[in-house]
Short mmCIF file of all heavy atoms in Angstrom, two decimals:
data_model
loop_
_atom_site.label_atom_id
_atom_site.label_comp_id
_atom_site.label_asym_id
_atom_site.label_seq_id
_atom_site.Cartn_x
_atom_site.Cartn_y
_atom_site.Cartn_z
N VAL A 820 73.31 94.59 80.99
CA VAL A 820 74.37 93.80 80.37
C VAL A 820 73.72 92.89 79.34
O VAL A 820 72.86 92.07 79.69
CB VAL A 820 75.15 92.98 81.41
CG1 VAL A 820 76.26 92.18 80.74
CG2 VAL A 820 75.72 93.87 82.49
N GLY A 821 74.13 93.03 78.08
CA GLY A 821 73.52 92.23 77.02
C GLY A 821 73.89 90.77 77.08
O GLY A 821 74.88 90.36 77.71
N SER A 822 73.11 89.96 76.43
CA SER A 822 73.30 88.50 76.46
C SER A 822 74.65 88.10 75.86
O SER A 822 75.21 88.79 75.01
CB SER A 822 72.18 87.81 75.69
OG SER A 822 70.94 88.01 76.34
N SER A 823 75.17 87.00 76.35
CA SER A 823 76.46 86.44 75.91
C SER A 823 77.62 87.38 76.20
O SER A 823 78.57 87.47 75.41
CB SER A 823 76.42 86.09 74.41
OG SER A 823 75.39 85.16 74.15
N PHE A 824 77.56 88.05 77.34
CA PHE A 824 78.62 88.97 77.75
C PHE A 824 79.53 88.27 78.76
O PHE A 824 79.07 87.46 79.56
CB PHE A 824 78.01 90.22 78.39
CG PHE A 824 78.97 91.36 78.54
CD1 PHE A 824 79.08 92.34 77.57
CD2 PHE A 824 79.78 91.46 79.67
CE1 PHE A 824 79.97 93.39 77.69
CE2 PHE A 824 80.68 92.50 79.81
CZ PHE A 824 80.77 93.47 78.82
N VAL A 825 80.83 88.62 78.70
CA VAL A 825 81.80 88.01 79.62
C VAL A 825 82.65 89.10 80.26
O VAL A 825 83.14 90.00 79.57
CB VAL A 825 82.73 87.03 78.87
CG1 VAL A 825 83.79 86.47 79.82
CG2 VAL A 825 81.93 85.89 78.25
N HIS A 826 82.80 89.01 81.58
CA HIS A 826 83.83 89.80 82.24
C HIS A 826 85.04 88.89 82.42
O HIS A 826 84.99 87.91 83.17
CB HIS A 826 83.36 90.31 83.61
CG HIS A 826 84.41 91.09 84.32
ND1 HIS A 826 84.92 90.71 85.54
CD2 HIS A 826 85.07 92.23 83.98
CE1 HIS A 826 85.83 91.59 85.93
NE2 HIS A 826 85.95 92.51 84.99
N PHE A 827 86.13 89.20 81.72
CA PHE A 827 87.34 88.38 81.78
C PHE A 827 88.08 88.73 83.07
O PHE A 827 88.71 89.78 83.17
CB PHE A 827 88.20 88.63 80.54
CG PHE A 827 87.52 88.26 79.26
CD1 PHE A 827 86.95 89.22 78.45
CD2 PHE A 827 87.42 86.92 78.87
CE1 PHE A 827 86.31 88.88 77.27
CE2 PHE A 827 86.78 86.57 77.69
CZ PHE A 827 86.22 87.55 76.88
N ASN A 828 87.99 87.84 84.05
CA ASN A 828 88.45 88.16 85.40
C ASN A 828 89.59 87.27 85.88
O ASN A 828 89.91 87.26 87.06
CB ASN A 828 87.28 88.06 86.39
CG ASN A 828 86.77 86.63 86.53
OD1 ASN A 828 86.78 85.87 85.58
ND2 ASN A 828 86.33 86.27 87.73
N TYR A 829 90.20 86.53 84.96
CA TYR A 829 91.31 85.65 85.34
C TYR A 829 92.42 85.84 84.32
O TYR A 829 92.19 85.72 83.11
CB TYR A 829 90.86 84.19 85.37
CG TYR A 829 91.88 83.24 85.96
CD1 TYR A 829 92.14 83.24 87.32
CD2 TYR A 829 92.58 82.35 85.15
CE1 TYR A 829 93.08 82.37 87.86
CE2 TYR A 829 93.51 81.47 85.69
CZ TYR A 829 93.75 81.49 87.05
OH TYR A 829 94.68 80.63 87.59
N THR A 830 93.61 86.16 84.80
CA THR A 830 94.69 86.56 83.90
C THR A 830 95.63 85.40 83.58
O THR A 830 95.65 84.39 84.29
CB THR A 830 95.52 87.70 84.54
OG1 THR A 830 96.37 87.14 85.55
CG2 THR A 830 94.63 88.76 85.16
N PRO A 831 96.46 85.54 82.53
CA PRO A 831 97.46 84.51 82.23
C PRO A 831 98.46 84.31 83.36
O PRO A 831 99.12 83.27 83.43
CB PRO A 831 98.14 85.04 80.97
CG PRO A 831 97.14 85.95 80.34
CD PRO A 831 96.40 86.58 81.48
N ASN A 832 98.59 85.33 84.24
CA ASN A 832 99.48 85.20 85.39
C ASN A 832 98.77 84.57 86.59
O ASN A 832 99.29 84.58 87.71
CB ASN A 832 100.06 86.57 85.78
CG ASN A 832 101.03 87.07 84.74
OD1 ASN A 832 101.92 86.33 84.30
ND2 ASN A 832 100.89 88.31 84.31
N GLN A 833 97.56 84.08 86.36
CA GLN A 833 96.81 83.28 87.33
C GLN A 833 96.43 84.06 88.59
O GLN A 833 96.60 83.58 89.71
CB GLN A 833 97.61 82.01 87.69
CG GLN A 833 97.93 81.16 86.48
CD GLN A 833 98.72 79.92 86.81
OE1 GLN A 833 99.08 79.68 87.96
NE2 GLN A 833 98.99 79.09 85.81
N ASP A 834 95.92 85.26 88.37
CA ASP A 834 95.39 86.05 89.48
C ASP A 834 94.04 86.62 89.08
O ASP A 834 93.64 86.59 87.92
CB ASP A 834 96.36 87.18 89.86
CG ASP A 834 96.45 88.25 88.78
OD1 ASP A 834 95.56 89.12 88.75
OD2 ASP A 834 97.39 88.21 87.98
N LYS A 835 93.33 87.11 90.10
CA LYS A 835 92.03 87.75 89.87
C LYS A 835 92.00 89.15 90.46
O LYS A 835 91.00 89.59 91.03
CB LYS A 835 90.91 86.90 90.48
CG LYS A 835 90.62 85.62 89.74
CD LYS A 835 89.39 84.92 90.31
CE LYS A 835 89.07 83.66 89.53
NZ LYS A 835 87.84 82.99 90.06
N ALA A 836 93.12 89.87 90.31
CA ALA A 836 93.14 91.27 90.72
C ALA A 836 92.52 92.10 89.61
O ALA A 836 93.11 93.03 89.07
CB ALA A 836 94.58 91.71 90.99
N THR A 837 91.26 91.75 89.29
CA THR A 837 90.63 92.25 88.06
C THR A 837 89.25 92.86 88.26
O THR A 837 88.43 92.84 87.35
CB THR A 837 90.51 91.10 87.06
OG1 THR A 837 89.85 89.99 87.71
CG2 THR A 837 91.86 90.65 86.55
N PRO A 838 88.90 93.40 89.44
CA PRO A 838 87.53 93.88 89.62
C PRO A 838 87.24 95.10 88.75
O PRO A 838 88.04 96.03 88.68
CB PRO A 838 87.48 94.23 91.11
CG PRO A 838 88.89 94.61 91.44
CD PRO A 838 89.74 93.68 90.62
N SER A 839 86.10 95.10 88.11
CA SER A 839 85.70 96.22 87.25
C SER A 839 84.50 96.94 87.83
O SER A 839 83.64 96.32 88.47
CB SER A 839 85.37 95.72 85.84
OG SER A 839 86.54 95.23 85.19
N MET A 840 84.46 98.25 87.61
CA MET A 840 83.36 99.08 88.13
C MET A 840 82.65 99.79 87.00
O MET A 840 83.28 100.47 86.19
CB MET A 840 83.87 100.12 89.13
CG MET A 840 84.42 99.53 90.41
SD MET A 840 84.62 100.78 91.73
CE MET A 840 82.94 100.86 92.35
N MET A 841 81.35 99.62 86.94
CA MET A 841 80.50 100.38 86.04
C MET A 841 79.70 101.37 86.87
O MET A 841 78.81 100.99 87.63
CB MET A 841 79.55 99.44 85.29
CG MET A 841 80.18 98.76 84.07
SD MET A 841 81.73 97.88 84.38
CE MET A 841 81.14 96.46 85.31
N GLY A 842 80.06 102.65 86.75
CA GLY A 842 79.52 103.65 87.66
C GLY A 842 80.38 103.73 88.90
O GLY A 842 81.52 103.28 88.93
N ASN A 843 79.83 104.29 89.98
CA ASN A 843 80.56 104.37 91.25
C ASN A 843 79.58 104.31 92.40
O ASN A 843 78.36 104.31 92.20
CB ASN A 843 81.41 105.66 91.30
CG ASN A 843 80.57 106.92 91.17
OD1 ASN A 843 79.58 107.10 91.88
ND2 ASN A 843 80.96 107.81 90.26
N VAL A 844 80.11 104.25 93.60
CA VAL A 844 79.26 104.11 94.79
C VAL A 844 78.67 105.44 95.21
O VAL A 844 77.45 105.54 95.43
CB VAL A 844 80.06 103.48 95.95
CG1 VAL A 844 79.26 103.55 97.26
CG2 VAL A 844 80.42 102.04 95.63
N HIS A 845 79.50 106.49 95.32
CA HIS A 845 79.03 107.71 95.97
C HIS A 845 77.91 108.41 95.20
O HIS A 845 77.10 109.11 95.80
CB HIS A 845 80.21 108.67 96.23
CG HIS A 845 80.89 109.17 95.00
ND1 HIS A 845 81.91 108.50 94.40
CD2 HIS A 845 80.69 110.30 94.27
CE1 HIS A 845 82.34 109.18 93.35
NE2 HIS A 845 81.61 110.27 93.25
N GLN A 846 77.86 108.24 93.90
CA GLN A 846 76.73 108.77 93.12
C GLN A 846 75.67 107.70 92.90
O GLN A 846 74.47 107.98 92.90
CB GLN A 846 77.23 109.29 91.77
CG GLN A 846 78.10 110.53 91.85
CD GLN A 846 78.66 110.90 90.50
OE1 GLN A 846 79.37 110.11 89.86
NE2 GLN A 846 78.35 112.10 90.03
N GLY A 847 76.12 106.46 92.71
CA GLY A 847 75.19 105.39 92.38
C GLY A 847 74.14 105.13 93.43
O GLY A 847 73.00 104.78 93.10
N VAL A 848 74.49 105.30 94.71
CA VAL A 848 73.51 105.01 95.77
C VAL A 848 72.31 105.95 95.72
O VAL A 848 71.26 105.62 96.28
CB VAL A 848 74.17 105.09 97.17
CG1 VAL A 848 75.17 103.98 97.37
CG2 VAL A 848 74.80 106.46 97.41
N MET A 849 72.45 107.09 95.07
CA MET A 849 71.35 108.05 95.02
C MET A 849 70.30 107.70 93.96
O MET A 849 69.26 108.37 93.87
CB MET A 849 71.91 109.46 94.77
CG MET A 849 72.86 109.92 95.87
SD MET A 849 72.12 109.81 97.52
CE MET A 849 73.55 110.15 98.56
#
C-alpha cells in the first residue's frame, strides 16, 4: 500500500459496513 493512502471506511449514513478485501483467504493462505 503506497504512502498517503486512505481506506474510506465511514459513510455519510454513519456506519462502517465497509470492509474491503484485497485478495482472498482460501488462496492467500498458501
Side-chain angles (χ1 to χ4, degrees):
V820 180
S822 294
S823 301
F824 194 93
V825 177
H826 179 241
F827 298 101
N828 67 326
Y829 189 72
T830 76
N832 290 312
Q833 302 180 358
D834 68 82
K835 288 187 178 181
T837 52
S839 293
M840 294 195 81
M841 278 54 71
N843 60 51
V844 170
H845 64 273
Q846 292 174 301
V848 292
M849 299 306 171

